[in-house]
């Protein structure tokens, strides 16, 4: 065989030349026809790989993850990161799905990323050290590939170049989200601050004897239970027979499950109408739920219920409200009450939807209105102060913060980051989360001047953020308990009125029996 190869391919100079030319040609063709990444990852950008059609990973150099809505703010983040490069800094990761499918979700995402960037921008000009580098971390749709991204974040935390010291964001309360937070805090000792997810399962239990489920976890958004308690205090004790609970039973959505339990108030059930259940196919897919909602609407019509507590996602809430309005019920009017997830409901509404919720032409009141708790609202502080003879600090300090944020966005002092909308509270909450992280980092650094604080020192500052070290967020004072939860943080009660097609601020509600936060936000004994 060897003799045959030698005689036919290499015996003469001509055969050698022909053989070399053929080998080169075949090699060149293979390089053109065969993708360079066969056997390796398909790279979307630096630190980001394609998996199952999604770009998964961590990037802070301006990549928008194929979502044009965040292109401008991603560029602004990259510019700010270049400014701090080479100077003492820590890294903060904003972890949330970065490739949403609908226009409404893309607008929500833009608000989230804008809030993180504006928080970074302000913190880096506070004359405190170290500076903050911000990276975007995409765990995939519904956090489905969070494990791979957590691996990347672990490397950044161990790297003396990047010094990852906190992960924030977390906009969906799902089982995958719990798994990510669990590993980040308990296994990797990376501090986590939740700015958007409101499920009780993503909070540490309160009480001196309680053991934290997540070591190093803090939050700036009240839990579903706290929001429900604030609503109950706001309404002054609505009779149960006038209410009914409509809830989604889809598994693994802990936001919906937590909200349903919060609205139930106890395990004995209500003396009025029984709970009305439906099962949706996914967070953003209505599926066949419209048929269920029509049947449920007729049952509610025959009941004495006038207030409907809805434990579900905005896509399903919109459809339920429409189907309830379509039920002819002798002029009966309804108020649907839901949690903070409804803060973006108006972005899903069409002209036809608004008209259906208005009901009969000429009617004094809309057929269906929707009321929900928002963790922040741009009208809250000015409206509350307008009726106050005194000017308490728990109102004036957040008002000042909000004015500074609004001014910064309006003047484009931080650069062109696209249109900034504050009504849905997302920009406000994520901004406040970044400000809270910065405060913890600065306090940790003060104990070891000139050095980047270890991650354990950062999370150790969460319980210190009260009283003299409270964070005056745009959404209210952030005063953390020993468990890392915000103490008695107010929520805005907002009503979606079909007649005006606007979000009307109804008032502030407080989780602790309707009482506002204590003077200077000194967290009382027995919490955390």
């Amino acid at each position: 065989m060897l003799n045959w190869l030698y005689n036919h391919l290499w015996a003469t100079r001509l055969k050698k030349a022909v053989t070399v030319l053929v080998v080169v040609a075949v090699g060149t063709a293979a390089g053109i026809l065969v993708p360079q990444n066969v056997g390796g990852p398909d790279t979307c950008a630096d630190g980001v790989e394609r998996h199952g059609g999604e770009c998964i990973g961590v990037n802070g150099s301006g990549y928008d993850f194929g979502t044009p809505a965040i292109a401008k703010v991603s560029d602004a983040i990259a510019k700010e990161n270049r400014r701090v490069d080479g100077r003492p800094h820590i890294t903060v990761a904003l972890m949330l799905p970065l490739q949403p499918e609908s226009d409404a979700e893309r607008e929500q995402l833009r608000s989230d990323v804008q809030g993180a960037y504006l928080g970074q921008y302000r913190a880096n000009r506070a004359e405190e050290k170290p500076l903050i580098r911000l990276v975007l971390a995409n765990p995939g749709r519904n956090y489905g590939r969070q494990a791979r991204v957590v691996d990347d974040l672990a490397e950044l935390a161990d790297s003396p170049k990047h010094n990852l010291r906190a992960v924030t964001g977390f906009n969906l309360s799902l089982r995958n989200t719990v798994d990510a937070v669990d590993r980040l805090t308990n296994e990797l000792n990376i501090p986590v601050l939740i700015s958007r997810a409101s499920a009780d399962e993503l909070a540490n239990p309160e009480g001196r004897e309680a053991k934290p489920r997540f070591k190093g976890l803090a939050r700036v958004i009240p839990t579903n239970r706290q929001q429900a308690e604030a609503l109950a205090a706001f309404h002054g004790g609505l009779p149960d027979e006038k209410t009914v609970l409509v809830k989604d039973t889809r598994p693994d959505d802990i936001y919906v499950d937590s909200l349903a339990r919060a609205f139930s108030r106890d395990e004995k059930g209500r003396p009025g109408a029984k709970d009305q259940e439906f099962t949706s196919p996914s967070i953003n897919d209505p599926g066949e739920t419209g048929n269920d909602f029509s049947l449920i609407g007729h049952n509610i019509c025959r009941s004495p219920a006038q207030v409907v507590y809805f434990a579900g996602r905005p896509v399903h809430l919109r459809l339920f409200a429409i189907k309830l309005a379509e039920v002819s019920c002798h002029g009966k009017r309804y108020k649907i009450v839901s949690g903070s997830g409804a803060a973006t409901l108006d972005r899903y509404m069409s002209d036809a939807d608004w008209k259906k919720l208005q009901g009969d032409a000429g009617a004094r009141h809309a057929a269906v209105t929707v009321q929900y708790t928002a963790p922040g609202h741009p009208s809250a502080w000015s409206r509350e102060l307008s009726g106050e003879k005194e000017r308490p600090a728990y109102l004036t300090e957040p008002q000042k913060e909000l004015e500074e944020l609004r001014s910064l966005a309006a003047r484009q002092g931080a650069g062109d980051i696209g249109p900034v909308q504050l009504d849905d509270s997302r920009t406000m909450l994520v901004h406040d989360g970044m400000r809270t992280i910065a405060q913890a980092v600065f306090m940790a650094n003060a104990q070891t001047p000139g050095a980047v604080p270890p991650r354990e020192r950062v999370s150790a500052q969460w319980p210190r953020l009260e009283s003299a070290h409270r964070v005056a967020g745009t959404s209210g004072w952030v005063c953390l308990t020993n468990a890392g939860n915000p103490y008695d943080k107010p929520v805005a009660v907002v009503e979606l009125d079909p007649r005006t097609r606007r979000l009307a601020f109804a008032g502030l509600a407080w989780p602790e029996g309707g009482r506002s936060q204590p003077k200077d936000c000194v967290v009382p004994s027995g919490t955390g």
Side-chain angles (χ1 to χ4, degrees), residues 95-97 105 108 112 139-144 169-178 181 194-199 202 252-256 283-284 313-314 341 426:
M95 184 175 179
L96 68 176
E105 291 176 287
Q108 296 168 25
D112 287 330
R141 189 176 299 109
N142 297 333
Y143 289 80
F170 302 103
N171 61 336
L172 293 174
S173 299
L174 301 169
R175 187 58 52 193
N176 287 333
T177 317
V178 174
V181 173
I194 292 177
S195 55
R196 291 291 308 164
S198 58
L202 282 166
D252 296 327
D253 191 332
I254 62 173
Y255 165 77
V256 170
I283 289 177
N284 297 306
R313 294 289 180 172
R426 288 177 176 268

Side-chain angles (χ1 to χ4, degrees), residues 480-498:
L480 299 183
T481 67
N482 287 338
N485 300 314
Y487 178 74
D488 199 23
K489 191 165 185 282
V491 295
V493 180
V494 180
E495 189 159 294
L496 190 65
D497 190 339

